[in-house]
Every structure is written in C-alpha cells, then in structure tokens.
Amino acid sequence: MLSAKVRRKIAPANGDTDNSADKQDQLLLSAAIYNGEDLGPSVRKAFASGKPETLLHNLRHFARSKESEIEEVCKAHYQDFILAVDDLRSLLSDVDSLKSALSDSNSKLQSVAGPLLTSLDSYLEAQTVSHNVNLALSLIFSCIKLLELCSRSNYHLSRGNFYMALKCVDSIETDFLDKTPSSTLKRMLEKKIPDIRSHIERKVSKEFGDWLVEIRVVSRNLGQLAIGQASAARQREEDLRIKQRQAEEQSRLSLRDCVYALQEEEEEDGLSGVMGDDGKDGYGNGGGNGLLGFDLTPLYRAYHIHQTLGLEDRFKQYYFENRKLQLTSDFQVSSMTPFLESHQTFFAQIAGFFIVEDQILRTGGDLISRMKVENLWETAVSKMCSVLEDQFSRMQTANHLLLIKDYVSLLGVTLRRYGYPVDALLDVLSKHRDKYHELLLSDCRKQIAEALAADTFEQMLMKKEYEYSMNVLSFQLQTSDIVPAFPYVAPFSSTVPDCCRIVRSFIEDSVSFMSYGGQLEFFDVVKKYLDRFLSEVLDEALLKLISTSVHGVSQAMQVAANMAVLERACDFFFRHAAQLSGIPLRMAERGRRQFPLNNARDAAEEMLSGLLKQKVDGFMTLIENVNWMADEPTQSGNEYVNEVMIYLETLVSTAQQILPAPVLKRVLQDVLSHISEMIVGALLGDSVKRFSVNAIMGIDVDIRLLESFADNQAALFSEGDANQLKTALAEARQLINLLLSNHPENFLNPVIRGRSYNTLDYRKVMTISEKLRDPSDRLFGTFGSRAARQNPKKKSLDTLIKRLKDVS
C-alpha cells in the first residue's frame, strides 16, 4: 500500500510540451494503446529514426497518466475496498475450516487411493502384457498359416501336384512374405521360393521330355490303328459293293427274285476311347483319347505350369522346335531295311504325329497355332512325295507298288478325316499309274506264259459242283443256266480258267490301284489297260502257243474251242471291270469294242483249217486214180471223195462236241473251199492232160456228195449257214456246170457270168476247156464239119476257147 502511495505521489513530466511533433507521437501512441493495436511499427520506427528515448519517454508519460487515473479510481472505491477486505477476513476462517476438511479428506483419499494406485499400476502392467500377448498370438497365427501353406506346398510337391504347390507359393509370396515378423523366416522364404519354382520347372520339363519320347511310340501305334480302321471301313464298303453286284447280277440273269437289305455296320471309332480323368492336377486329355496311352496330360500340365510361371511363350517355342525335330527324324528312311517292309511304319509314324497335333490344336488352347501345323503338314507332304517318287522309281514289281499305293491311299483317307489336304500324295500315285500297269503287264505276261505252257490240250474234267462254279460260273463261261451232271467234261482245257483267273486278277489289281486315288471315274483307264493286256499279252501269247506248240488236229481243235470260250470270257472281263469301277453295265456295253483276241482266234482257226486241209490233201491224192477218159460216168462218186466224206463226217461228229457252231462252220467252209480248189487244181494241173465228159460227170457226182454233206449240216447249223457251206464249193460247181452246159459260150455274157460263173477265172476256164475231149472226137475226128453239125456243144466250147484266147 505504501509503495502504491509513493507511486501516486510521482508528478507527471511536463518537459518538451512545446514540441508539437513529440505531442503528435504521444497522441498516436496513446491511441494505439487504447485501441489495443500492435506497437511493433512504432517501435521499429523509433529505432529506425534513432530516437528510442523519445518512445521510452512517451511510454513513461502514458504510464504516469494511467497511474493517476488508477489513483482516482481507488479513491472513488476506497470504502468498497475496505468492505471487501473485511469480507475476505471473514472468509479466512471458513477457508481454514475448509483447509482442515480438505486435509482430512486428502488423508482419507490417500489411504483409500494408495491401494487403488497400486491396482492401477498392476492393471496397466497387465494391459501391456495382454497387448503384447495378443500381438504375439496374431503373429503366431500368421506364422501358423504360413507354416500351413508351406506344409501344403511341400505336400503338393511330394504328390507331384505342381500347380497347387505353385498356388501355395504365390499365396505365401503375396500374403505373408512382407508381413512376416521374423527376418530369419523371411530370408528363408525369399531364398526357397525361387528354388521351389525352379524345382517345379525342372520336374515338369523332365515329364514333358519323357512325354516327347513316349509320344513317338504312341504316334506310330496310333497311326497304324487309324489306318487299320480306314482299311476296315474300306473293306466293309467293298463287301457291300460285292453284295450289290451279286444282287444286280442275279437280277440281270433273272435267276430268282431276291431282295437284299444291305446294312452297314456302325463304324466304331477306335480313337474315341475315353481316358479316365485321373490327371494329378485335374488335367483332362482334351479329346479324351486314352487309347494306347494317348495321354496328353503331361503336355498340358507342363504348358499350364509354364503359364503359371510366366514362361508361356518360351514353352510354346520349345514345344514346337522339339516336335519339328521329331517330325524331321520321322522322315528318315532306313537304307538297311527294304521300303516295302518299312513303309507302313514310316507312314503310320507320320499319320500318328499329325493325329496327335490335330488333337492338341483342338484341345490345347494356344499351345500351337493352326498355321504352324499347316506348315508342318506341307513339309511332311513334300517329304513323303519325295520319298514315294524315289521308291517308286526303283520298284520293279507291280505288287510291291500296289501295296505301297494302297497304304498311302489309306493314309490319305485317314488324314483327310482330320482336315489335312492329301491331293499332292494322290497326284504322285496317279503319276506312276503307267509304270504300275507296265509292271503289272510284265508280271501277267509271265503268268500267262506259264499257264499256256502247262496246257495239255485236253478237255477239262470237273467232278464236283464247286469245281464247276470255280472254273465256269465264276467267269460266266456257261452257255446254259442249267447245272450239268457230274462228272462234267468242259469244251475247253484247263488253260482257259487259268488265263481267266490271271485276267481277273489283272482287272482287280488295276481297279485297286485306280481306286481311292483321287480320280472318281477311272473305268476308261482300266478298260484301256485291259485292252492292252488282252491284245498285247494274251493275244500274243496265244499266237506264240499256236505257232510253236500245236502239232495236231485235236490240239488245234482244242485251241480253237478255247478261243471261242475266251470270246465269252472277254465279255465277262469288261463287265467285271465296269462293276468294280462302279459303272452301270449298260454304259460299259455301249462302249464295247471288237473281240480283242481276233488275231489268236483267226490263227487258231487257220491252224485248225490248215491241219484239216493237210488231212484232206492226203485223201485228195486219190484223185490221181480218177479215170479221166472214162466211157461211163461213175454213179457213187470217186474213191477220193468217199474218203473225204468219211473223214468230214467223223470230224463233224467229234468237233461238234467242243467247237461252237460258228467256229465249226467257218472251219468246214474253209476245208470245203480247199477241196473245191483241189478239184479245180486237179483239172488244171499238168497231171491231167485231157478228160472226157463222163469224167466231168463223175466229178459232178463228187461235188453233189459234198453239197449233200453241206446240206446235212442244217441240223447242226441254221439253213442259211448250210447254204454258206455250199458256197464254199462254188468254184468247182460253177466250173463243172460250165463244162456240162449246152451253151458254154454264155460264160462270155457278162450278165450270165456275174450270176452263174462269178467265181471262175477265165484263164482257168480256157486251160481246162482245152483239155475236154468229147467221145465224138474219136468217132468223127476226120469229119470236122459233120462233127460240128452233130455236136453243137463242142462247137460252142470251141467258140468259147477261141474267144477266151482272144481276150487273153
């Protein structure tokens, strides 16, 4: 209080009141303090102007002015202040009481709160421990999950379930690696995770390598199976065609009314066997082909694992390169083994390769692209074509070439089912069509030669019905639908069915080569080579047989009979070729050509005729015994003609058993024509110097006997054929008619000569006419004019001779 009073006695300074600037500053400072403004600018300004004393003076002046105001306020409220002090003193006792109460309360509080504080400290300590325990438990649970994943990964690894192991490893790496509290465990995981992935990659790569080795064997077996199924399907088709041909043939022959129901067996796809879905990682086989170990699980698992490892592109390239190397290895043809023995394995391996690739293309996702498979196929086709070209060029046996061609065509059928183009392979087969048929013709030429060399020129004896069916019906050689009684003697020798079997085999081999070769209509090609076989091989072989091995009439007759049967067989050959080629018979018959064995048939008939003529010539030598100057004409024929008649009748009775009527007619016609020539030749020859009319009348009797023989054949031939036989004697008949004619000069009339003497040569007529001597020549030879008047025939004949000499 005293200090306050002292301060209140301080008088305010009044210095420098005259200075207006200082007052101005003082006012501004006071205003700023009253307003509560910041004095910083004023302080900076004072120090900046270098007059801080002024500022300090102003502040002191403001403080003194406020102290006086405070003093005034205190004076004004002094009584109130005294009252307040009294109140405070009254409150002091209350405060002391309160203090005592507070002290007591504090003591009580201290006594009560002490244990509580101890409990609180224990609680806080327990809370800390609990927090630590909870944290430890969460870390333990995390470690347990981590260890469970590690254990599961090890389990899958031990079971070979690599994909599941990788999923566990990925989960460890993603969910636990960064959250693992143990640095040791974390370092261990960081080290082991790449090792596990590398281990899995090595394992699946090894499995894939084993699969690559195994799939080669599987591909070969798969290719053989697929081609075998194609062969079985083709055989079923052939069986159906055979039944259809049998039905058509029976219908054509009208043997009986037959109704065939041709039922196709359902083709079992041996490549569609279902493999059990027992893959370790649940991998299926795509197409489900578990047959013969056709298992794609290792491949798909390796592909999936590499996809999971992020190595998809690398695995695709690795797979393609390895398969390409395998295919290149499959192209190798062993020089130690004949291609005929190894061709099935060669083509089956390639077929199996592309069957597998087709399955992978369809079920393997993006493992291999269609373009890559097509490129591999183009390479394979090119190589197979090259191998076929090389091997075909070396082959010299038709059957070998046919075997390979059949297998290649089956390969084409098999792979065409999988969408692979095989036209290039079929083109190679078509390219060697001519060579195959040349080899086939060469082989058949040898077989024909052997069959003909074994011919005994004896009629074939068949004791059983199956022999008849095998040797006659199978080639449609029968002339009647009635089955003969057994034992049955055929009109042909054993060489006929032997040759027919060879020709039929040629047709079937030719059709077999042309079938399934990409050419739908090939009958014209088969027919062309069949024509060549018949005309160049069989015909020439028969010609050689006829010219070198036929030495008697019976052999010649048998060969002629064989030729007649072979003519019917040729019709069967062309029908058989048409049926095998799938051509309607009516179309095949429209395009038929003449008999292809014409040369051999003509040679056989010529040989038979020649031998018969030789026999006849032996009898015709008896014509020398004819009395050419006979006084009386013979009534029963000359000796030579009787011998000839006996031989001809014997010949006909024998020949009609084996020779068809047209052949026998042609042979007899040729023999009779020869006899006619021999008679004319005898009259024309130097051995007959002259002859009489009676001798000519005897020759007329001979010719009548021969004509009667020809007429008697009407029972064997038709009447027209019998008349044709008589025309074979036309020259002798017309000559005898001319010599016995009352008007021989009519020969000079072109009309009459064309009608009645068209076979006579005027030179022969002139020569023979000069030898004719009438009996009147002996009786009236010195009376020429009288003889002429009494014998006008002689006069006409002389006129004829004179005119003929003029013509000559």
Side-chain angles (χ1 to χ4, degrees):
M1 296 292 291
L2 182 61
S3 61
K5 290 179 179 180
V6 174
R7 285 195 299 270
R8 284 196 296 272
K9 289 179 180 181
I10 296 174
N14 295 322
D16 299 328
T17 55
D18 296 331
N19 192 344
S20 59
D22 291 341
K23 289 184 178 182
Q24 184 66 30
D25 291 336
Q26 186 177 357
L27 290 176
L28 291 176
L29 182 60
S30 298
I33 292 172
Y34 279 119
N35 295 329
E37 295 177 358
D38 186 16
L39 300 180
S42 300
V43 175
R44 283 193 295 272
K45 179 179 178 182
F47 280 94
S49 61
K51 295 179 180 181
E53 296 82 2
T54 304
L55 175 63
L56 188 59
H57 175 74
N58 290 332
L59 289 174
R60 288 191 184 104
H61 182 271
F62 179 78
R64 284 193 297 269
S65 64
K66 290 300 179 182
E67 285 179 356
S68 61
E69 291 179 6
I70 292 171
E71 186 176 358
E72 292 295 330
V73 170
C74 289
K75 288 179 179 180
H77 297 285
Y78 178 78
Q79 188 64 39
D80 294 333
F81 180 74
I82 294 299
L83 291 176
V85 170
D86 291 337
D87 291 336
L88 287 175
R89 285 178 176 177
S90 64
L91 288 174
L92 181 60
S93 61
D94 295 335
V95 169
D96 289 338
S97 299
L98 180 61
K99 181 178 178 182
S100 298
L102 287 175
S103 176
D104 294 339
S105 297
N106 180 50
S107 298
K108 292 179 180 180
L109 180 62
Q110 290 292 334
S111 63
V112 174
L116 290 178
L117 287 175
T118 303
S119 299
L120 178 61
D121 293 338
S122 300
Y123 169 74
L124 292 176
E125 182 180 358
Q127 188 177 29
T128 303
V129 172
S130 175
H131 176 73
N132 292 336
V133 168
N134 289 334
L135 180 61
L137 286 175
S138 75
L139 294 177
I140 289 172
F141 290 148
S142 177
C143 290
I144 290 173
K145 291 182 180 179
L146 175 61
L147 292 176
E148 286 179 351
L149 282 176
C150 292
S151 176
R152 196 180 307 164
S153 176
N154 288 333
Y155 173 77
H156 290 310
L157 282 175
S158 65
R159 296 292 300 273
N161 298 334
F162 298 131
Y163 175 72
M164 296 304 298
L166 281 177
K167 297 299 289 184
C168 291
V169 169
D170 289 343
S171 179
I172 291 172
E173 187 176 32
T174 303
D175 300 334
F176 295 97
L177 186 61
D178 293 336
K179 301 176 183 179
T180 301
S182 172
S183 59
T184 303
L185 185 58
K186 183 175 182 180
R187 285 195 302 271
M188 184 271 291
L189 292 176
E190 289 176 346
K191 179 182 178 182
K192 291 299 182 181
I193 286 175
D195 293 342
I196 293 173
R197 287 175 174 164
S198 299
H199 172 74
I200 292 175
E201 182 182 359
R202 287 194 302 271
K203 292 290 289 184
V204 297
S205 296
K206 182 181 181 301
E207 288 184 2
F208 174 64
D210 295 340
W211 179 84
L212 285 175
V213 174
E214 181 185 0
I215 199 64
R216 295 197 68 188
V217 178
V218 173
S219 295
R220 180 169 60 252
N221 296 334
L222 189 64
Q224 290 173 344
L225 177 64
I227 294 175
Q229 289 181 343
S231 177
R234 178 179 295 181
Q235 186 59 48
R236 286 193 292 270
E237 293 176 2
E238 290 296 332
D239 293 341
L240 289 174
R241 290 195 187 99
I242 290 173
K243 292 180 181 179
Q244 184 178 3
R245 284 197 296 270
Q246 290 174 348
E248 291 176 353
E249 187 64 22
Q250 290 177 349
S251 175
R252 187 179 70 84
L253 297 176
S254 299
L255 294 179
R256 61 181 181 270
D257 294 333
C258 300
V259 177
Y260 282 87
L262 303 180
Q263 297 179 349
E264 287 194 47
E265 299 177 1
E266 293 184 1
E267 182 177 355
E268 297 180 359
D269 190 357
L271 299 182
S272 60
V274 178
M275 183 185 71
D277 196 7
D278 56 354
K280 295 179 181 178
D281 287 340
Y283 296 97
N285 197 20
N289 294 326
L291 191 64
L292 292 178
F294 181 24
D295 185 10
L296 299 178
T297 299
L299 171 65
Y300 290 160
R301 182 160 64 165
Y303 179 46
H304 192 192
I305 294 300
H306 280 82
Q307 282 181 318
T308 306
L309 293 172
L311 304 175
E312 178 180 0
D313 292 338
R314 190 177 79 177
F315 182 78
K316 286 182 181 179
Q317 186 64 25
Y318 179 72
Y319 169 80
F320 178 73
E321 293 297 332
N322 276 273
R323 290 293 281 165
K324 187 176 181 181
L325 288 174
Q326 284 188 339
L327 182 61
T328 304
S329 176
D330 294 340
F331 291 153
Q332 303 302 318
V333 178
S334 174
S335 59
M336 305 299 294
T337 306
F339 189 68
L340 183 65
E341 298 178 7
S342 63
H343 74 279
Q344 293 189 2
T345 302
F346 175 78
F347 290 116
Q349 186 74 56
I350 296 175
F353 179 93
F354 284 100
I355 291 173
V356 171
E357 286 305 311
D358 176 76
Q359 186 73 9
I360 294 171
L361 178 65
R362 289 187 290 109
T363 63
D366 297 329
L367 177 56
I368 189 169
S369 65
R370 181 171 297 279
M371 180 177 295
K372 286 184 177 180
V373 175
E374 290 176 353
N375 291 337
L376 289 176
W377 174 244
E378 290 176 1
T379 303
V381 168
S382 175
K383 183 61 179 179
M384 285 189 290
C385 290
S386 175
V387 170
L388 286 175
E389 291 278 2
D390 178 61
Q391 295 298 329
F392 281 171
S393 65
R394 301 179 185 181
M395 289 185 180
Q396 299 301 321
T397 304
N399 188 44
H400 295 174
L401 201 148
L402 178 60
L403 288 174
I404 294 176
K405 177 267 167 189
D406 284 343
Y407 205 79
V408 173
S409 67
L410 289 173
L411 170 72
V413 171
T414 301
L415 292 180
R416 187 184 283 120
R417 292 175 55 193
Y418 294 92
Y420 295 105
V422 295
D423 293 340
L425 286 173
L426 301 181
D427 290 342
V428 173
L429 300 181
S430 299
K431 181 179 178 182
H432 290 82
R433 179 184 68 195
D434 292 336
K435 177 176 181 178
Y436 168 75
H437 282 92
E438 291 297 333
L439 293 175
L440 186 60
L441 287 171
S442 177
D443 292 344
C444 291
R445 184 178 283 108
K446 296 176 184 177
Q447 297 174 21
I448 289 292
E450 293 173 358
L452 294 180
D455 192 10
T456 59
F457 302 102
E458 296 178 356
Q459 291 177 259
M460 190 173 184
L461 176 64
M462 303 177 199
K463 298 180 180 180
K464 302 293 182 180
E465 184 175 356
Y466 79 88
E467 295 179 353
Y468 180 80
S469 175
M470 180 176 62
N471 295 304
V472 178
L473 296 180
S474 61
F475 305 111
Q476 300 177 9
L477 303 181
Q478 71 276 12
T479 56
S480 172
D481 294 334
I482 301 174
V483 178
F486 295 98
Y488 167 68
V489 179
F492 51 82
S493 65
S494 61
T495 192
V496 171
D498 290 343
C499 289
C500 288
R501 274 186 277 273
I502 295 171
V503 177
R504 182 176 63 185
S505 175
F506 175 87
I507 295 170
E508 292 171 352
D509 287 345
S510 177
V511 171
S512 178
F513 188 89
M514 296 303 301
S515 300
Y516 310 103
Q519 186 174 353
L520 297 179
E521 296 181 0
F522 49 84
F523 173 68
D524 291 338
V525 178
V526 175
K527 182 174 176 292
K528 180 186 76 171
Y529 287 111
L530 177 59
D531 283 335
R532 281 192 58 191
F533 175 70
L534 294 175
S535 60
E536 295 181 11
V537 177
L538 184 57
D539 194 41
E540 291 179 2
L542 290 170
L543 285 172
K544 183 178 179 181
L545 173 74
I546 293 168
S547 62
T548 59
S549 302
V550 178
H551 303 295
V553 172
S554 61
Q555 291 184 352
M557 191 177 298
Q558 188 61 67
V559 172
N562 289 349
M563 293 307 305
V565 177
L566 285 174
E567 186 168 2
R568 292 198 301 274
C570 285
D571 296 336
F572 162 76
F573 296 149
F574 287 101
R575 288 196 303 270
H576 189 56
Q579 287 178 332
L580 294 180
S581 302
I583 299 297
L585 293 179
R586 60 182 182 276
M587 295 180 61
E589 291 174 354
R590 277 204 302 266
R592 285 178 55 187
R593 48 167 287 179
Q594 63 178 357
F595 180 47
L597 304 178
N598 267 332
N599 294 333
R601 180 186 63 186
D602 295 344
E605 294 180 7
E606 184 178 349
M607 173 64 75
L608 177 59
S609 298
L611 292 174
L612 292 176
K613 290 175 186 178
Q614 291 178 10
K615 289 288 187 179
V616 169
D617 288 345
F619 300 121
M620 290 299 293
T621 57
L622 298 177
I623 201 171
E624 298 175 356
N625 299 334
V626 173
N627 184 3
W628 295 106
M629 297 304 296
D631 295 331
E632 295 292 334
T634 179
Q635 300 298 320
S636 59
N638 292 297
E639 180 184 8
Y640 78 92
V641 79
N642 291 324
E643 294 293 334
V644 169
M645 288 292 295
I646 293 172
Y647 179 72
L648 290 179
E649 289 173 355
T650 304
L651 171 68
V652 170
S653 65
T654 303
Q656 68 181 353
Q657 302 299 321
I658 61 174
L659 286 180
V663 178
L664 180 58
K665 187 205 77 170
R666 289 195 295 269
V667 171
L668 287 178
Q669 190 171 355
D670 197 19
V671 171
L672 291 176
S673 177
H674 178 68
I675 294 173
S676 175
E677 292 175 359
M678 291 291 290
I679 293 173
V680 175
L683 294 173
L684 186 63
D686 295 337
S687 60
V688 179
K689 302 298 182 181
R690 61 176 61 188
F691 50 83
S692 65
V693 173
N694 290 327
I696 296 301
M697 293 176 68
I699 297 298
D700 179 61
V701 172
D702 296 341
I703 294 175
R704 289 182 186 277
L705 289 174
L706 292 171
E707 290 175 339
S708 175
F709 167 79
D711 290 335
N712 291 337
Q713 305 310 311
L716 183 60
F717 312 124
S718 64
E719 185 176 351
D721 290 339
N723 291 331
Q724 286 185 2
L725 286 178
K726 289 175 65 175
T727 60
L729 301 168
E731 184 179 16
R733 165 52 59 200
Q734 291 179 8
L735 178 61
I736 297 305
N737 288 344
L738 178 61
L739 294 177
L740 297 179
S741 173
N742 291 325
H743 302 284
E745 72 277 5
N746 288 340
F747 181 75
L748 299 175
N749 187 325
V751 176
I752 297 177
R753 184 171 68 245
R755 183 176 66 247
S756 302
Y757 307 109
N758 57 339
T759 62
L760 296 179
D761 183 89
Y762 73 92
R763 297 182 185 84
K764 293 181 180 180
V765 171
M766 181 182 67
T767 303
I768 293 172
S769 297
E770 287 182 339
K771 296 182 180 183
L772 179 61
R773 291 295 180 264
D774 193 84
S776 61
D777 290 346
R778 296 196 300 272
L779 299 175
F780 308 105
T782 57
F783 307 98
S785 59
R786 181 182 175 185
R789 287 195 302 271
Q790 292 181 355
N791 192 356
K793 175 182 175 182
K794 173 62 176 172
K795 181 177 179 182
S796 297
L797 189 59
D798 291 339
T799 303
L800 173 63
I801 294 171
K802 181 179 179 181
R803 294 286 299 276
L804 290 175
K805 287 182 177 180
D806 292 339
V807 171
S808 63

